[in-house]
Structures are given as C-alpha cells and as structure tokens.
Coordinates of all heavy atoms in Angstrom, one line a residue:
L1 N -9.1 70.7 49.5 CA -10.2 70.6 48.7 C -11.2 69.5 49.5 O -10.7 68.6 50.2 CB -10.1 69.8 47.3 CG -9.3 70.8 46.3 CD1 -9.1 69.9 45.1 CD2 -10.0 72.0 46.1
G2 N -12.4 69.9 49.6 CA -13.5 69.1 50.3 C -14.3 68.4 49.3 O -15.1 69.0 48.5
I3 N -14.3 66.9 49.2 CA -14.8 66.2 48.3 C -16.1 65.6 48.8 O -16.1 64.8 49.8 CB -14.0 65.1 47.7 CG1 -12.7 65.6 47.1 CG2 -14.9 64.1 46.7 CD1 -11.8 64.5 46.6
P4 N -17.4 66.1 48.4 CA -18.7 65.5 49.0 C -18.8 64.2 48.4 O -18.2 63.8 47.4 CB -19.7 66.6 48.4 CG -18.9 67.7 47.9 CD -17.6 67.2 47.4
T5 N -19.9 63.4 48.9 CA -20.3 62.1 48.5 C -20.9 62.3 47.1 O -21.4 63.5 46.8 CB -21.1 61.3 49.4 OG1 -22.4 62.2 49.7 CG2 -20.4 61.2 50.8
V6 N -21.2 61.3 46.4 CA -21.9 61.5 45.2 C -23.3 61.9 45.4 O -23.8 62.8 44.7 CB -21.9 60.1 44.4 CG1 -23.0 60.1 43.2 CG2 -20.6 59.6 44.1
A7 N -24.0 61.3 46.4 CA -25.4 61.8 46.7 C -25.4 63.4 47.1 O -26.3 64.0 46.6 CB -26.0 61.0 47.9
D8 N -24.4 63.9 47.8 CA -24.4 65.2 48.2 C -24.1 66.1 47.0 O -24.5 67.2 46.8 CB -23.3 65.4 49.4 CG -23.8 64.9 50.6 OD1 -25.0 64.7 50.8 OD2 -22.9 64.5 51.4
R9 N -23.3 65.5 46.1 CA -23.1 66.3 44.8 C -24.3 66.4 44.0 O -24.5 67.5 43.4 CB -22.0 65.6 44.0 CG -20.6 65.6 44.7 CD -19.4 65.6 43.8 NE -19.3 64.4 43.0 CZ -18.6 63.3 43.4 NH1 -18.0 63.4 44.6 NH2 -18.4 62.2 42.6
V10 N -25.1 65.4 43.9 CA -26.4 65.5 43.3 C -27.3 66.5 43.9 O -28.0 67.3 43.2 CB -27.2 64.1 43.2 CG1 -28.5 64.2 42.5 CG2 -26.2 63.1 42.4
A11 N -27.3 66.5 45.2 CA -28.2 67.5 45.9 C -27.7 68.9 45.7 O -28.6 69.8 45.4 CB -28.2 67.2 47.4
Q12 N -26.4 69.1 45.7 CA -25.8 70.5 45.5 C -26.2 70.9 44.1 O -26.4 72.1 43.8 CB -24.4 70.5 45.8 CG -24.1 70.4 47.3 CD -22.6 70.6 47.7 OE1 -21.8 71.2 46.9 NE2 -22.2 70.2 48.8
T13 N -26.1 69.9 43.2 CA -26.2 70.3 41.8 C -27.6 70.7 41.6 O -28.0 71.7 40.8 CB -25.8 69.1 40.9 OG1 -24.5 68.8 41.0 CG2 -26.2 69.5 39.3
A14 N -28.5 70.1 42.2 CA -30.0 70.4 42.2 C -30.3 71.9 42.5 O -30.9 72.7 41.9 CB -30.9 69.5 42.9
V15 N -29.6 72.3 43.7 CA -29.7 73.7 44.1 C -29.0 74.6 43.3 O -29.6 75.6 42.9 CB -29.1 73.9 45.6 CG1 -29.0 75.3 45.9 CG2 -30.0 73.1 46.6
K16 N -28.0 74.3 42.7 CA -27.2 75.1 41.8 C -28.0 75.3 40.3 O -28.1 76.4 40.0 CB -25.8 74.5 41.3 CG -25.0 75.3 40.4 CD -23.7 74.7 39.9 CE -23.2 75.4 38.9 NZ -21.8 74.8 38.4
K17 N -28.7 74.3 39.9 CA -29.7 74.5 38.8 C -30.7 75.4 39.1 O -31.2 76.1 38.1 CB -30.1 73.0 38.3 CG -29.2 72.2 37.6 CD -29.7 70.9 37.3 CE -28.7 70.0 36.5 NZ -28.4 70.7 35.1
V18 N -31.2 75.5 40.2 CA -32.3 76.4 40.5 C -31.8 77.8 40.6 O -32.5 78.8 40.2 CB -33.0 75.9 41.8 CG1 -34.0 77.0 42.2 CG2 -33.8 74.7 41.7
L19 N -30.6 77.9 41.2 CA -30.2 79.3 41.6 C -29.3 80.0 40.4 O -29.2 81.2 40.4 CB -29.3 79.3 42.8 CG -30.1 78.9 44.2 CD1 -29.1 79.0 45.3 CD2 -31.2 79.7 44.3
E20 N -28.6 79.2 39.7 CA -27.6 79.8 38.7 C -28.1 80.9 37.9 O -27.5 82.0 37.8 CB -26.9 78.7 37.9 CG -25.7 79.2 37.1 CD -24.9 78.0 36.6 OE1 -25.4 77.2 35.8 OE2 -23.7 77.9 37.0
A21 N -29.2 80.7 37.1 CA -29.7 81.7 36.3 C -30.2 82.9 37.1 O -30.0 84.0 36.6 CB -30.9 81.2 35.5
R22 N -30.7 82.8 38.2 CA -31.1 83.9 39.1 C -30.0 84.7 39.5 O -30.0 86.0 39.5 CB -31.9 83.2 40.3 CG -32.5 84.2 41.2 CD -33.1 83.7 42.4 NE -34.0 82.5 42.1 CZ -34.4 81.7 42.9 NH1 -34.2 81.7 44.3 NH2 -35.2 80.6 42.7
M23 N -28.8 84.1 39.9 CA -27.6 84.7 40.4 C -26.9 85.5 39.1 O -26.3 86.5 39.3 CB -26.8 83.9 41.1 CG -27.2 83.3 42.3 SD -27.8 84.6 43.5 CE -28.5 83.6 44.7
E24 N -27.0 84.8 37.9 CA -26.4 85.5 36.8 C -27.0 86.8 36.5 O -26.2 87.7 36.1 CB -26.5 84.5 35.5 CG -25.5 83.3 35.5 CD -24.1 83.9 35.4 OE1 -23.8 84.7 34.6 OE2 -23.3 83.6 36.4
A25 N -28.2 87.0 36.7 CA -29.0 88.2 36.5 C -28.5 89.3 37.5 O -28.5 90.5 37.3 CB -30.4 88.1 36.6
L26 N -27.9 88.8 38.7 CA -27.5 89.8 39.7 C -26.0 90.1 39.6 O -25.5 91.3 39.8 CB -27.7 89.0 41.0 CG -27.0 89.8 42.4 CD1 -27.8 91.0 42.6 CD2 -27.0 88.8 43.5
F27 N -25.2 89.2 39.1 CA -23.7 89.4 39.2 C -23.2 90.4 38.2 O -23.8 90.7 37.1 CB -23.0 88.0 38.9 CG -23.1 87.0 40.0 CD1 -23.0 85.6 39.7 CD2 -23.4 87.4 41.2 CE1 -23.1 84.7 40.7 CE2 -23.5 86.4 42.3 CZ -23.4 85.1 42.1
C28 N -22.1 91.0 38.6 CA -21.4 92.1 37.8 C -20.8 91.4 36.5 O -20.2 90.3 36.6 CB -20.4 92.7 38.7 SG -19.2 93.8 37.8
P29 N -20.8 92.2 35.5 CA -20.1 91.7 34.2 C -18.6 91.4 34.3 O -18.0 90.8 33.5 CB -20.6 92.7 33.2 CG -20.8 93.9 33.9 CD -21.4 93.5 35.2
W30 N -18.0 92.1 35.4 CA -16.5 92.0 35.4 C -16.0 90.9 36.5 O -15.0 90.8 36.8 CB -16.0 93.3 35.8 CG -16.5 94.4 35.1 CD1 -17.0 95.6 35.6 CD2 -16.7 94.6 33.6 NE1 -17.5 96.4 34.5 CE2 -17.3 95.8 33.4 CE3 -16.4 93.7 32.7 CZ2 -17.5 96.3 32.1 CZ3 -16.6 94.1 31.3 CH2 -17.3 95.4 31.0
S31 N -17.0 90.1 36.8 CA -16.7 88.8 37.5 C -16.8 87.6 36.6 O -17.8 87.5 35.8 CB -17.8 88.6 38.6 OG -17.8 87.4 39.1
Y32 N -15.7 87.0 36.4 CA -15.4 86.0 35.5 C -15.3 84.6 36.1 O -15.4 83.6 35.1 CB -14.2 86.4 34.7 CG -14.1 87.6 33.8 CD1 -13.8 88.8 34.4 CD2 -14.7 87.6 32.6 CE1 -13.8 90.0 33.8 CE2 -14.6 88.8 31.9 CZ -14.3 90.0 32.4 OH -14.4 91.1 31.8
G33 N -15.3 84.3 37.3 CA -15.0 83.0 37.7 C -16.2 82.1 38.0 O -17.2 82.5 38.4
Y34 N -16.1 80.8 37.4 CA -17.1 79.9 37.6 C -18.6 80.3 37.2 O -19.6 80.1 38.0 CB -17.2 79.5 39.1 CG -15.8 79.1 39.6 CD1 -15.2 79.9 40.6 CD2 -15.1 77.9 39.2 CE1 -13.9 79.7 41.1 CE2 -13.9 77.8 39.7 CZ -13.3 78.5 40.7 OH -12.1 78.2 41.2
R35 N -18.6 81.0 36.0 CA -19.8 81.5 35.5 C -20.1 81.0 34.1 O -19.0 81.0 33.3 CB -19.9 83.0 35.5 CG -19.8 83.5 37.0 CD -19.8 85.1 37.0 NE -21.1 85.6 36.4 CZ -21.3 86.8 36.0 NH1 -20.4 87.8 36.3 NH2 -22.4 87.2 35.4
P36 N -21.3 80.7 33.7 CA -21.4 80.3 32.3 C -21.2 81.3 31.3 O -21.6 82.5 31.6 CB -23.0 79.8 32.3 CG -23.5 80.6 33.5 CD -22.4 80.5 34.5
G37 N -20.5 81.0 30.3 CA -20.1 82.0 29.2 C -18.9 82.8 29.6 O -18.7 83.8 28.8
K38 N -18.4 82.6 30.8 CA -17.1 83.5 31.1 C -16.0 82.6 31.4 O -16.1 81.4 32.0 CB -17.5 84.4 32.4 CG -18.5 85.5 31.9 CD -18.8 86.5 33.1 CE -19.6 87.6 32.7 NZ -19.0 88.5 31.8
N39 N -14.7 83.1 31.2 CA -13.6 82.3 31.5 C -12.4 83.2 32.0 O -12.5 84.4 31.7 CB -13.2 81.4 30.4 CG -13.0 82.1 29.1 OD1 -12.2 83.1 29.1 ND2 -13.8 81.8 28.1
A40 N -11.2 82.5 32.3 CA -10.2 83.3 32.8 C -9.5 84.0 31.6 O -9.0 85.1 31.9 CB -9.1 82.3 33.4
Q41 N -9.5 83.6 30.4 CA -8.9 84.3 29.3 C -9.7 85.7 29.1 O -8.9 86.6 28.7 CB -8.8 83.5 28.0 CG -7.9 82.3 28.0 CD -7.8 81.6 26.8 OE1 -8.8 81.6 26.0 NE2 -6.6 81.0 26.5
Q42 N -11.0 85.6 29.2 CA -11.6 86.8 29.1 C -11.2 88.0 30.3 O -11.0 89.1 30.0 CB -13.1 86.6 29.2 CG -13.7 85.9 28.1 CD -15.2 85.6 28.3 OE1 -15.7 85.7 29.4 NE2 -15.8 85.0 27.3

C-alpha cells in the first residue's frame, strides 16, 4: 500500500470530487468496486 501525505490526499480528493460523477455516467452497471451506491454484496 502506498500512503500519500495528508496534503496529497487533499489534492487527490479534490480531483476525485470533480471526476467521480462524470465517470459514474460512463461506467458499466456490473462494475461494483469503489463506486458510490455499489458494494461487494451486490
């Protein structure tokens, strides 16, 4: 596991917040990992 610094985690979170909804519209419904509203049990 690669642990970024706190500042780098903030920067990465900023990018994730911009991209996540955009990528959700692209991704396949049968992909379940690390996505809002989806989980391993599904």
Side-chain angles (χ1 to χ4, degrees):
L1 292 184
I3 302 177
T5 64
V6 175
D8 292 333
R9 296 207 293 271
V10 174
Q12 291 188 20
T13 302
V15 169
K16 181 183 176 184
K17 284 181 175 294
V18 174
L19 295 185
E20 190 166 59
R22 189 184 307 172
M23 296 305 173
E24 279 300 303
L26 169 71
F27 289 158
C28 168
W30 314 130
S31 164
Y32 294 91
Y34 310 113
R35 295 179 59 188
K38 291 184 176 291
N39 58 51
Q41 285 184 336
Q42 293 171 350

